[in-house]
Amino acid sequence: GVQSVIERLGNPNFTRFRLGIGRPITPVPIEDYVVQPFVADEREAAEEMIVRAADAVEAALKDGPVKAMNIFNR
């Protein structure tokens, strides 16, 4: 997770891109929920989220993270 990235980089100063996955409907611990594969009816939304995230990364590289956040955060 994020802690392993911090350990590898040697500091916590990096730009993070967060993708929302919602909450489980069933009583599943959140740490288990986040690593489960998407179910069929979630796949299209997941694919759209991945495309949008890639666009956000490109915008951050081109114009900086603050401008990208202003465009992509809802």
Side-chain angles (χ1 to χ4, degrees):
V2 173
Q3 188 59 40
S4 67
V5 174
I6 293 170
E7 290 170 6
R8 291 282 179 130
L9 293 176
N11 69 67
N13 301 322
F14 58 91
T15 301
R16 292 173 61 183
F17 291 82
R18 296 179 181 197
L19 308 176
I21 58 161
R23 292 282 180 188
I25 297 170
T26 58
V28 176
I30 194 70
E31 59 273 8
D32 294 333
Y33 176 70
V34 300
V35 296
Q36 290 179 351
F38 292 109
V39 296
D41 63 335
E42 297 171 323
R43 286 196 185 108
E44 184 177 339
E47 289 173 11
E48 291 172 7
M49 180 175 56
I50 291 167
V51 170
R52 186 167 169 81
D55 291 343
V57 170
E58 288 179 357
L61 291 171
K62 181 179 177 226
D63 300 317
V66 172
K67 188 168 183 181
M69 284 189 296
N70 289 332
I71 294 168
F72 289 90
N73 286 351
R74 298 184 207 177

